């Protein structure tokens, strides 16, 4: 007998709210299977006057707790054991803590229940080739000019002047700025020993920046085209709120590192804290939409990160002082980041053809 037949399961999906309700009935025979375990746990944990903790006879404990509460706990135990199979019936993955309610709880009788949980809405992906045809190939990066390099060196010289004369304004006359010595150049970059090697180092860095800039611009265009083709996606509020809370905590920690507070930041920006929360929620919503689409493409194209690369990145995480963190959470984050990169590379390949 399947779990659906055993519990007489029915499902009801609310696509507007991205929720699913599973309703069913736990047969008395299934509930009875959990009675001994429930009574044993109650005997070990229930305080009873006149007895040391865990030493009261089970009949005394059950009399104190009551038949209804024992039966309720047996029903909970039955649901907890069967929950993974119950979820499989829906074909969905919960993204929130399930909300269980007993709709009928007769002592020594069948227990009726309903379970509500949020799920990610289904996404219909577009034809990549058609959608990305207007994006085309990535533009070549702009060449690095001598003026680009000179401007970076000027910024460094201005920084040296500011450090030496914090009470003065930085002069507009370049001749008044300090020249860089070989010792200063080496302190800025241990890879450089003189001005010639410093200029080469700057040129290479600027070239990489310009390359990255074009790559990010191309990827933004790819994602916009895909997101526009997918259309509206209803993101469950619980996902939006969780993302906004995480962003707020990061924002708060950053403010504290800079010696300020969220309140002072809002005041300086002439905004209320509720305005900040509104921005964080909107950012969270858009980030969740993008991640959902990337996940859907990943699943459709069977894109998985290379295990060896994941292990290498996890080792780097530990080497950087992440040993005390949650290794499993770190692995999940790394796998997700690498999978996203692989999906974007896949879409880049489609746009290039």
């Amino acid at each position: 007998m399947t779990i659906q037949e055993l519990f007489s399961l029915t499902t009801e999906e609310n696509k507007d709210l991205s929720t699913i309700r599973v309703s069913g009935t736990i047969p008395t025979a299934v509930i009875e299977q959990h009675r001994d375990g429930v009574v044993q746990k109650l005997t070990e944990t229930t305080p009873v006057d006149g007895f040391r903790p865990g030493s009261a006879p089970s009949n005394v404990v059950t009399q104190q707790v009551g038949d209804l509460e024992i039966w309720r706990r047996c029903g909970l135990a039955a649901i907890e054991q069967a929950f993974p199979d119950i979820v499989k019936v829906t074909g969905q993955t919960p993204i929130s803590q399930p909300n269980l309610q007993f709709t009928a709880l007769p002592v020594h009788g069948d227990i009726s229940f309903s379970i509500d949980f949020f799920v990610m809405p289904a996404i219909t992906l577009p034809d990549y080739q058609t959608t990305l045809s207007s994006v085309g190939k990535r533009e070549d990066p702009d060449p690095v000019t001598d003026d680009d390099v000179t401007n970076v060196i000027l910024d460094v010289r201005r920084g040296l002047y500011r450090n030496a004369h914090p009470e003065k304004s930085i002069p507009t006359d370049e001749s008044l700025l300090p020249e860089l010595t070989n010792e200063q150049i080496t302190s800025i970059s241990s890879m450089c020993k003189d001005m010639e090697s410093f200029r080469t180092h700057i040129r290479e860095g600027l070239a990489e920046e310009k390359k990255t800039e074009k790559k990010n611009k191309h990827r933004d265009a790819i994602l916009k085209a895909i997101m526009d083709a997918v259309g509206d996606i209803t993101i469950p509020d619980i996902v939006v709120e969780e993302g906004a809370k995480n962003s707020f905590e990061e924002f708060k920690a950053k403010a504290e590192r800079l010696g300020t507070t969220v309140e002072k930041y809002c005041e300086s920006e002439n905004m209320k804290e509720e305005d900040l929360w509104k921005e964080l929620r909107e950012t969270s919503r858009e980030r969740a939409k993008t991640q959902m689409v990337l996940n859907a493409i990943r699943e459709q194209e069977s894109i998985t990160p290379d295990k060896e690369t994941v292990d290498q990145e996890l080792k780097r995480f530990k080497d950087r002082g992440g040993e005390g963190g949650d290794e499993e959470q770190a692995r999940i984050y790394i796998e997700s980041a690498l999978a996203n990169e692989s999906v974007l590379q896949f879409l880049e390949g489609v746009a290039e053809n």
Side-chain angles (χ1 to χ4, degrees):
M1 181 179 293
T2 66
I3 194 73
Q4 188 164 7
E5 294 169 333
L6 180 62
F7 283 8
S8 303
L9 296 178
T10 60
T11 60
E12 179 183 355
E13 184 173 1
N14 186 327
K15 294 185 177 180
D16 292 336
L17 298 178
S18 298
T19 60
I20 284 185
R21 169 169 290 182
V22 183
S23 302
T25 301
I26 316 170
T28 302
V30 174
I31 301 171
E32 284 286 3
Q33 294 172 9
H34 296 272
R35 183 177 178 83
D36 288 345
V38 167
V39 171
Q40 177 64 33
K41 189 172 182 179
L42 285 170
T43 301
E44 295 171 354
T45 59
T46 303
V48 179
D49 290 343
F51 294 91
R52 294 190 309 275
S55 65
S58 59
N59 65 318
V60 175
V61 172
T62 55
Q63 184 176 0
Q64 176 171 307
V65 173
D67 287 344
L68 180 60
E69 178 60 17
I70 292 173
W71 200 243
R72 186 187 73 84
R73 293 193 181 214
C74 291
L76 281 174
I79 290 291
E80 289 174 1
Q81 184 181 69
F83 186 72
D85 292 323
I86 292 174
V87 170
K88 287 180 182 178
V89 171
T90 70
Q92 302 275 16
T93 301
I95 60 171
S96 66
Q97 186 71 24
N99 179 27
L100 167 67
Q101 289 185 324
F102 288 136
T103 53
L105 183 56
V107 178
H108 305 308
D110 296 351
I111 296 177
S112 296
F113 66 91
S114 65
I115 304 175
D116 296 295
F117 53 82
F118 284 98
V119 295
M120 281 298 189
I123 297 176
T124 301
L125 293 172
D127 175 71
Y128 311 130
Q129 197 72 54
T130 302
T131 301
L132 299 180
S133 59
S134 61
V135 176
K137 296 184 178 181
R138 183 196 307 175
E139 296 177 358
D140 292 330
D142 299 327
V144 179
T145 66
D146 291 341
D147 286 344
D148 291 335
V149 176
T150 299
N151 287 334
V152 173
I153 294 174
L154 278 175
D155 284 340
V156 174
R157 292 170 63 194
R158 292 186 184 104
L160 292 175
Y161 185 93
R162 187 188 304 110
N163 292 338
H165 310 284
E167 76 286 355
K168 295 182 180 181
S169 298
I170 298 175
T172 56
D173 186 350
E174 297 173 9
S175 64
L176 299 177
L177 297 174
E179 295 293 341
L180 284 169
T181 66
N182 289 344
E183 183 180 358
Q184 289 170 326
I185 288 172
T186 302
S187 67
I188 294 171
S189 173
S190 59
M191 301 170 60
C192 305
K193 59 182 180 179
D194 52 28
M195 181 56 74
E196 182 180 356
S197 59
F198 191 44
R199 292 184 71 90
T200 300
H201 178 67
I202 292 172
R203 186 178 293 276
E204 291 172 351
L206 289 174
E208 193 61 34
E209 285 181 13
K210 288 176 181 286
K211 180 179 178 182
T212 300
E213 181 182 349
K214 291 297 184 181
K215 181 181 77 171
N216 291 340
K217 182 179 179 181
H218 189 236
R219 287 187 170 185
D220 287 344
I222 286 172
L223 285 174
K224 184 179 186 307
I226 293 289
M227 298 301 290
D228 287 347
V230 169
D232 291 336
I233 304 173
T234 301
I235 303 297
D237 288 342
I238 189 171
V239 175
V240 175
E241 285 301 315
E242 189 65 26
K245 287 177 183 177
N246 291 338
S247 296
F248 182 81
E249 291 303 318
E250 291 174 5
F251 188 86
K252 181 180 177 182
K254 183 178 180 180
E256 290 174 352
R257 287 196 301 270
L258 296 174
T260 185
T261 63
V262 173
E263 292 77 11
K264 289 181 180 178
Y265 168 81
C266 291
E267 185 178 343
S268 68
E269 294 295 318
N270 194 28
M271 66 189 303
K272 298 178 181 179
E273 190 170 317
E274 62 190 59
D275 297 323
L276 173 62
W277 273 103
K278 183 178 179 180
E279 289 183 6
L280 294 177
R281 289 188 179 99
E282 187 56 35
T283 300
S284 173
R285 191 182 307 278
E286 293 305 314
R287 187 187 301 120
K289 286 181 182 179
T290 301
Q291 188 59 60
M292 282 180 58
V293 171
L294 291 176
N295 289 347
I297 295 173
R298 172 187 177 182
E299 183 176 347
Q300 179 167 294
E301 301 301 327
S302 301
I303 296 173
T304 56
D306 179 66
K307 184 180 183 302
E308 185 176 341
T309 304
V310 172
D311 291 340
Q312 291 173 351
E313 291 299 321
L314 186 60
K315 183 178 183 303
R316 290 193 185 96
F317 166 76
K318 294 178 180 179
D319 293 342
R320 290 195 300 266
E323 193 72 52
D326 187 326
E327 182 173 325
E328 184 58 29
Q329 287 298 317
R331 178 179 288 277
I332 291 172
Y333 173 81
I334 291 169
E335 287 179 345
S336 177
L338 290 175
N340 285 349
E341 177 64 23
S342 296
V343 170
L344 288 170
Q345 289 177 0
F346 163 75
L347 293 175
E348 284 176 322
V350 175
E352 295 275 343
N353 293 328

